[in-house]
């Protein structure tokens, strides 16, 4: 009886052995898998935002906050935006005429005037003495008449040459301001010739011109001239040309300049100092202090340059405080917003 039970138990154990092996193999596989799995604390960190990337337009709305100590440390300064009236401008190119050419034309005119005056006096004397003991011969009288005609023609030619060179209605014409031509001839006053491209000007002669050196920035000084008159057309550049007077020494003789004149009706705007403008993402911006210690980057349009700045018609209001010193530091801090700012 016991022998039969032992045999039966032995057979049951043999049947259970494969199942045990499978169970043990499954447990070992689970342990090995658990050993190779990364701990939760060592999971790969999510990709960090590139702190060196330029700030986007969305970032500009957030602004940069600084403490009074930080403001003093970077030397930040602000300036209130001014309300101005801006008129669109047309730009032209010109040059300062060397006074040598003016001196030659003035000398020819003076010579012709002197010769004509002498001939006129000689003929008047001949006619005054006619019928007296000191009367001159008819040949002398006829020669005086002929000489006066020649000298008068020479004077007219000199005047026409001057008109063709320096305009039909210069400030010295008709006996007005006779010393002006001599001042131009000796170089104590300079003459500027400006040509505006075809279609850029409409209407009459500009009332004023503002002139700056070629390649000058908006922060450079402009010279304003109010004595302007029409000049003969430039054969090399299609458009309208004008003359204007400059104080001696403002520009070198023969120097190229750029001139601007207002066109169209003026419109209200706000002047942004040139020092407040900076470039990021291919656009122009300035920082506006919206509240003490908070500076918001605002996009501006620099298509309306004026002396020492730009006129904008949106984005900034009159009286807004714009950053004129340390704006670059604000942009750098905004660009590195993911790092601790010092």
């Amino acid at each position: 009886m016991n022998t039969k039970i032992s045999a039966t138990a032995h057979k049951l154990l043999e049947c259970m052995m494969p199942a045990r092996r499978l169970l043990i193999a499954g447990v070992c596989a689970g342990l090995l898998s658990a050993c190779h799995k990364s701990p939760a604390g060592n999971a790969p960190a999510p990709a960090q935002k590139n702190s060196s990337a330029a700030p986007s337009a969305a970032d500009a709305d957030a602004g940069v906050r600084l403490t009074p100590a930080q403001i003093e440390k970077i030397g930040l300064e602000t300036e209130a935006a001014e309300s101005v009236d801006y008129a669109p401008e047309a730009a032209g190119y010109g040059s300062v005429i060397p006074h040598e050419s003016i001196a030659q034309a003035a000398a020819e005119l003076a010579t012709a005037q002197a010769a004509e005056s002498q001939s006129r006096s000689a003929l008047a004397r001949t006619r005054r003495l006619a019928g007296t003991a000191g009367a001159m011969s008819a040949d002398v009288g006829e020669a005086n008449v002929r000489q006066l005609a020649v000298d008068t023609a020479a004077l007219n030619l000199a005047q026409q040459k001057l008109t063709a060179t320096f305009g039909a209605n210069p400030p010295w014409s008709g006996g007005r301001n006779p010393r002006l031509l001599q001042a131009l001839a000796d170089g104590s006053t300079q003459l500027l010739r400006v040509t505006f491209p075809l279609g850029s000007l409409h209407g009459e002669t500009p009332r004023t011109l503002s002139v700056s050196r070629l390649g000058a920035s908006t922060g450079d000084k402009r010279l304003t001239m109010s004595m302007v008159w029409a000049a003969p057309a430039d054969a090399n550049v299609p458009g309208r040309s004008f003359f204007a007077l400059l104080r001696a020494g403002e520009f070198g003789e023969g120097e190229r300049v750029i001139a601007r004149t207002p066109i169209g009706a003026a419109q209200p705007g706000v002047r942004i100092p040139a020092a407040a403008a900076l470039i990021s993402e291919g656009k122009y911006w300035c920082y506006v202090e919206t509240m003490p210690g908070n500076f918001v980057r605002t996009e501006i349009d620099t298509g309306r340059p004026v002396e020492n700045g730009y006129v904008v018609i949106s984005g900034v209001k009159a009286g807004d405080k714009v950053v004129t010193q340390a704006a670059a530091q604000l942009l750098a801090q905004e660009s590195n917003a993911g790092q601790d700012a010092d």
Side-chain angles (χ1 to χ4, degrees):
M1 182 68 177
N2 292 336
T3 303
K4 292 180 178 181
I5 293 174
S6 298
T8 303
H10 182 70
K11 289 181 178 180
L12 288 174
L13 289 175
E14 288 181 349
C15 293
M16 293 176 60
M17 286 298 293
R20 291 178 61 188
R21 292 193 187 100
L22 291 175
L23 178 61
I24 294 172
V27 173
C28 292
L31 291 174
L32 289 173
S33 176
C35 291
H36 285 87
K37 185 180 296 184
S38 298
N42 296 330
Q48 296 291 332
K49 181 180 178 181
N50 184 5
S51 60
S52 61
S56 63
D59 297 331
D61 296 335
V64 179
R65 292 194 61 84
L66 297 179
T67 64
Q70 290 173 322
I71 292 175
E72 182 179 0
K73 181 178 180 179
I74 66 175
L76 188 145
E77 297 179 3
T78 61
E79 181 179 325
E82 301 176 353
S83 177
V84 296
D85 290 331
Y86 174 81
E89 293 181 323
Y93 296 94
S95 61
V96 180
I97 297 178
H99 77 279
E100 178 184 358
S101 59
I102 305 174
Q104 182 176 357
E108 292 175 357
L109 177 63
T111 301
Q113 288 174 334
E116 191 272 346
S117 179
Q118 183 179 8
S119 298
R120 187 176 298 279
S121 297
L123 180 59
R125 184 170 58 253
T126 299
R127 290 175 176 175
R128 187 173 60 251
L129 295 176
T132 65
M136 299 180 182
S137 64
D139 293 341
V140 173
E142 292 175 357
N144 288 340
V145 172
R146 183 177 64 255
Q147 188 62 44
L148 177 59
V150 171
D151 292 340
T152 300
L155 175 59
N156 290 335
L157 179 59
Q159 290 174 337
Q160 293 302 321
K161 288 177 63 177
L162 199 66
T163 300
T165 305
F166 302 110
N169 190 29
W172 58 81
S173 64
R176 298 174 297 166
N177 202 353
R179 295 182 180 179
L180 179 57
L181 182 58
Q182 185 57 42
L184 291 170
D186 61 27
S188 56
T189 299
Q190 292 181 317
L191 185 65
L192 175 69
R193 180 189 176 97
V194 177
T195 299
F196 290 91
L198 193 64
S200 61
L201 284 185
H202 305 282
E204 302 177 353
T205 300
R207 294 184 178 181
T208 60
L209 292 178
S210 59
V211 182
S212 58
R213 285 185 164 83
L214 203 61
S217 65
T218 57
D220 292 343
K221 180 183 178 182
R222 288 192 195 180
L223 297 178
T224 302
M225 296 159 292
S226 57
M227 189 173 290
V228 184
W229 69 95
D234 190 340
N236 300 317
V237 181
R240 299 180 62 188
S241 299
F242 302 93
F243 285 121
L245 298 179
L246 286 169
R247 294 189 301 270
E250 297 289 357
F251 296 96
E253 291 192 347
E255 183 175 355
R256 300 287 180 174
V257 299
I258 183 168
R260 295 180 176 86
T261 186
I263 57 173
Q267 55 183 336
V270 176
R271 188 185 74 86
I272 301 297
L278 47 84
I279 302 177
S280 177
E281 303 173 328
K283 301 177 182 179
Y284 282 87
W285 309 79
C286 73
Y287 277 93
V288 179
E289 187 176 17
T290 56
M291 62 180 64
N294 190 70
F295 304 92
V296 175
R297 185 162 50 92
T298 304
E299 185 178 353
I300 59 175
D301 180 10
T302 58
R304 304 174 184 85
V306 294
E307 185 176 349
N308 297 325
Y310 307 93
V311 172
V312 300
I313 57 176
S314 63
V316 182
K317 305 185 299 296
D320 283 351
K321 293 183 178 180
V322 294
V323 177
T324 57
Q325 187 71 28
Q329 285 89 328
L330 292 179
L331 181 62
Q333 180 166 333
E334 188 175 358
S335 300
N336 295 277
Q339 300 179 3
D340 293 334
D342 183 7

